[in-house]
Amino acid sequence: RTTMKSLRFISAEAFVSNAEFARKNLGAVAHDLFPLLFKASYLLEQGEVIHDLVENWPLFDFNMGKLLGATMDYKEDLSHRTCSVCLESCLTGLRDYVLNQSSLYMKKLKVVDLTGIKDVEVQFCKCKKTMGRWARTQLLSKLCSELLVYLQQAQCNPGTFEISINVLIDLFVTERNYDLVVQALLKKCSCPLKICCVAFRSDNLTLQKFFYIIKLTDPSLLRKLEIVHNVHLEMEHLEMLFNSIHFPLLMSLTLPARTFNVRRFTATDEQMLANVGEKMGEMTQLTELSMSFSILTGRIQKLLSRLKTPLKMLDVSNCSLNHADMAFLANSFHANHLEALDLSGHDIPELYPSTFFRLLSHCSSVLRSLTLEDCNIQDTHVNMLILGLSPCQKLQEFKFIGNPLSSQALKHLFTFFCELPMLKNVEFPVPRDCYPVGITYPIDDASLCRFDHQKYERVAEELNLILLQANREDVKASTPLFGSYDAAVQETNNELGAYLIKSFKETLEKFTTSFNKTS
């Protein structure tokens, strides 16, 4: 599929395709053509031209999302291209914008917004080398620190120190880049490039380091906070966090697994949970909440009843919800606003079928994404599921991996999917009849790949044919056995893998020591 280009865009491509010529003649280019040339350079991966465009940027703002998004001259959105060559050229160009003394009188740039960059699984750039969120955090922090060192050592024009540019970015901090980011944030006041953290993701960090860095980010500006995987945050720490720091603009909150565990609750814990719920109620912008793999049985109302703004996204997968929890969700004011819902890991047909379908009917007019993985949905439930999903005409994504469904049931479902006009992405399970007889669900990791791969391929082909015959080539259907693609996990999996091995080794050593003491 080729996207139409305007004559202006074709001319811009021709201009930037000769890097040497373009760089030499930038001074003669009208200021309002810089955005056009930037997008053309990005499409052609002309790193040197991108660098020089940013170094001499003549406008007040530089917004990556807008510059790379759909424009009248070229409708294709390039913001999902996290091309390493292009992004590194952008950031080094930004550093050199500050240092370039030949055009000081022209410097107007006040805001650089890097938050519009989208990390996706498939990259179309020619270099095939991406720069993910973690690497962008690393490079910007490094450039800010280096810039400050250079300005302190070199004889710079006094005007250079008056430059103040807010750089809006989604930070991603782990143990490996922690020190570098801390240094950049500590020196923010002195540096012409001022890191403004709009979204913050932390993984593989001690609690002490997490609490320290989160205060440095200026939480009053934070819109999204993700605390994931190897940050051992429990409810008492969450209460401390909310008591000591205010997040007035926070719209999205993701908590790590096992933040809550009601099975070992005392009266003090119950009060603590109520306090956390109250603090969340003070976050008047909060519309997205993810707290998967916590044990929240019977406490959803206590946690969510203080929220003043309806949630648009809720992930309570594997949270051991009971009927009272589901009833609260179905009857709450959140139900009519939920655009994304994840209830994976709950035996919906057995525990609360009618309550779940009531919840589904309430959110059907707005629901865009539904995830029901490992929910024990069987062939006998398919007609009921179709009935429940039929009003969800805005549904774009449906994930139901790990359910014991036969090939025949999947074909029935796929015939129905053709009727959902907005549907774009389906993640379906390996059919039950592809596994050995007697397989039990949920399937353990060791047995997950032990199915008849040839039979699966035949079934997958038939399912895609159903879509094809209904002219629904726009629907992508897949079976990601080990979960959906996560750009952040993908980028840092080496560090996380090393951490897990280290943790396992330490646990083993403790066990050996205690075993030796007892023997």
Side-chain angles (χ1 to χ4, degrees):
R1 185 179 61 87
T2 53
T3 308
M4 290 290 287
K5 298 171 183 176
S6 72
L7 207 53
R8 265 166 47 102
F9 196 83
I10 293 166
S11 304
E13 278 188 295
F15 180 81
V16 302
S17 61
N18 183 335
E20 195 182 341
F21 174 80
R23 295 174 78 191
K24 225 179 262 179
N25 292 282
L26 268 187
V29 173
H31 291 178
D32 61 348
L33 291 176
F34 268 64
L36 180 73
L37 292 176
F38 179 80
K39 189 171 182 181
S41 303
Y42 206 94
L43 179 65
L44 299 178
E45 293 174 44
Q46 291 285 51
E48 291 177 329
V49 183
I50 289 171
H51 172 278
D52 286 13
L53 282 165
V54 178
E55 184 184 356
N56 297 283
W57 198 255
L59 307 171
F60 286 103
D61 76 325
F62 179 90
N63 185 317
M64 284 287 275
K66 282 183 184 170
L67 289 166
L68 298 178
T71 58
M72 292 301 290
D73 291 296
Y74 186 49
K75 292 271 194 292
E76 189 169 340
D77 186 348
L78 303 180
S79 61
H80 54 269
R81 292 198 185 190
T82 54
C83 170
S84 187
V85 169
C86 296
L87 289 172
E88 190 167 341
S89 300
C90 268
L91 292 174
T92 53
L94 188 57
R95 174 201 61 198
D96 295 338
Y97 175 93
V98 174
L99 296 175
N100 185 347
Q101 296 182 35
S102 61
S103 60
L104 254 180
Y105 68 96
M106 287 171 61
K107 292 191 191 294
K108 295 177 182 175
L109 190 59
K110 294 290 174 213
V111 179
V112 171
D113 190 341
L114 304 174
T115 61
I117 303 166
K118 304 178 190 86
D119 296 292
V120 294
E121 186 171 4
V122 181
Q123 284 295 329
F124 294 101
C125 62
K126 289 193 291 285
C127 76
K128 299 292 179 204
K129 201 169 168 230
T130 61
M131 183 183 285
R133 183 174 166 185
W134 187 92
R136 295 194 294 273
T137 299
Q138 167 97 346
L139 182 59
L140 181 63
S141 302
K142 182 169 172 278
L143 292 174
C144 286
S145 298
E146 286 174 1
L147 183 59
L148 208 52
V149 169
Y150 181 83
L151 291 177
Q152 285 164 351
Q153 291 173 352
Q155 290 294 307
C156 290
N157 187 313
T160 306
F161 293 95
E162 289 169 22
I163 297 170
S164 178
I165 302 166
N166 287 332
V167 185
L168 277 58
I169 187 171
D170 298 339
L171 292 180
F172 180 11
V173 181
T174 64
E175 180 66 44
R176 201 153 50 97
N177 67 356
Y178 172 82
D179 290 333
L180 196 59
V181 182
V182 163
Q183 285 311 306
L185 291 172
L186 280 170
K187 294 168 182 171
K188 178 179 167 178
C189 293
S190 325
C191 187
L193 296 178
K194 303 188 182 303
I195 294 177
C196 297
C197 179
V198 178
F200 184 85
R201 180 185 176 101
S202 68
D203 195 348
N204 194 24
L205 267 189
T206 63
L207 277 175
Q208 189 180 5
K209 286 182 174 180
F210 167 73
F211 270 86
Y212 182 65
I213 198 167
I214 197 69
K215 287 175 182 173
L216 292 181
T217 60
D218 189 357
S220 65
L221 298 174
L222 215 55
R223 293 179 184 273
K224 187 172 187 175
L225 175 59
E226 295 170 279
I227 313 164
V228 295
H229 306 121
N230 300 313
V231 180
H232 299 302
L233 186 92
E234 294 185 7
M235 188 174 61
E236 61 193 283
H237 311 123
L238 187 63
E239 187 191 31
M240 278 166 57
L241 179 71
F242 288 166
N243 281 339
S244 59
I245 300 173
H246 293 288
F247 299 95
L249 299 181
L250 198 68
M251 298 167 75
S252 179
L253 175 64
T254 299
L255 299 171
R258 296 180 292 279
T259 300
F260 305 98
N261 183 358
V262 303
R263 284 180 191 154
R264 52 170 203 244
F265 262 26
T266 62
T268 310
D269 292 322
E270 294 289 357
Q271 185 54 52
M272 209 180 283
L273 185 73
N275 293 345
V276 167
E278 203 166 308
K279 287 294 177 186
M280 278 166 48
E282 291 170 13
M283 299 172 192
T284 54
Q285 307 289 312
L286 191 66
T287 57
E288 297 182 358
L289 182 60
S290 175
M291 39 191 186
S292 57
F293 289 94
S294 275
I295 298 170
L296 283 163
T297 316
R299 305 306 196 286
I300 284 288
Q301 181 168 0
K302 188 174 267 191
L303 199 55
L304 303 186
S305 60
R306 299 297 185 96
L307 295 182
K308 296 173 184 69
T309 311
L311 290 171
K312 290 182 181 177
M313 190 282 275
L314 178 63
D315 179 354
V316 280
S317 54
N318 300 283
C319 284
S320 304
L321 302 188
N322 64 13
H323 188 272
D325 296 316
M326 193 58 78
F328 168 76
L329 289 176
N331 299 321
S332 71
F333 77 127
H334 303 291
N336 297 312
H337 299 268
L338 284 170
E339 294 174 17
L341 177 65
D342 191 340
L343 290 168
S344 299
H346 294 101
D347 190 342
I348 287 170
E350 182 66 32
L351 295 174
Y352 22 63
S354 59
T355 318
F356 164 71
F357 284 113
R358 188 160 78 248
L359 170 61
L360 198 56
S361 73
H362 286 162
C363 62
S364 60
S365 64
V366 291
L367 192 66
R368 289 184 295 105
S369 175
L370 178 64
T371 307
L372 300 175
E373 297 177 357
D374 298 311
C375 284
N376 196 28
I377 298 166
Q378 300 177 34
D379 290 19
T380 50
H381 309 127
V382 165
N383 286 336
M384 194 65 182
L385 182 63
I386 289 172
L387 206 63
L389 288 174
S390 292
C392 303
Q393 293 291 293
K394 288 187 180 171
L395 196 69
Q396 295 173 19
E397 182 176 66
F398 181 42
K399 302 178 181 181
F400 59 112
I401 299 278
N403 287 293
L405 291 161
S406 69
S407 308
Q408 208 51 46
L410 287 172
K411 287 173 194 173
H412 191 180
L413 274 169
F414 268 67
T415 305
F416 160 69
F417 292 156
C418 298
E419 298 168 22
L420 295 173
M422 310 287 280
L423 195 67
K424 289 284 177 281
N425 185 37
V426 173
E427 292 184 2
F428 65 96
V430 172
R432 184 170 195 155
D433 41 297
C434 288
Y435 280 105
V437 178
I439 187 89
T440 55
Y441 284 77
I443 301 170
D444 58 62
D445 287 351
S447 308
L448 207 52
C449 295
R450 291 179 187 159
F451 59 89
D452 185 333
H453 287 257
Q454 283 185 322
K455 185 175 181 181
Y456 165 78
E457 290 301 336
R458 284 198 305 274
V459 174
E461 224 169 272
E462 288 171 29
L463 297 176
N464 275 304
L465 192 62
I466 292 170
L467 298 172
L468 206 62
Q469 287 172 339
N471 294 319
R472 292 305 305 268
E473 302 96 324
D474 56 323
V475 179
K476 181 197 167 201
S478 62
T479 306
L481 283 176
F482 297 99
S484 304
Y485 175 79
D486 184 323
V489 170
Q490 194 70 26
E491 191 183 8
T492 53
N493 58 6
N494 288 343
E495 179 181 353
L496 301 187
Y499 173 83
L500 290 172
I501 290 166
K502 182 170 168 273
S503 297
F504 179 69
K505 191 165 169 273
E506 284 171 359
T507 307
L508 211 58
E509 282 169 358
K510 282 177 190 170
F511 174 76
T512 311
T513 308
S514 58
F515 180 76
N516 289 339
K517 280 179 184 172
T518 54
S519 57

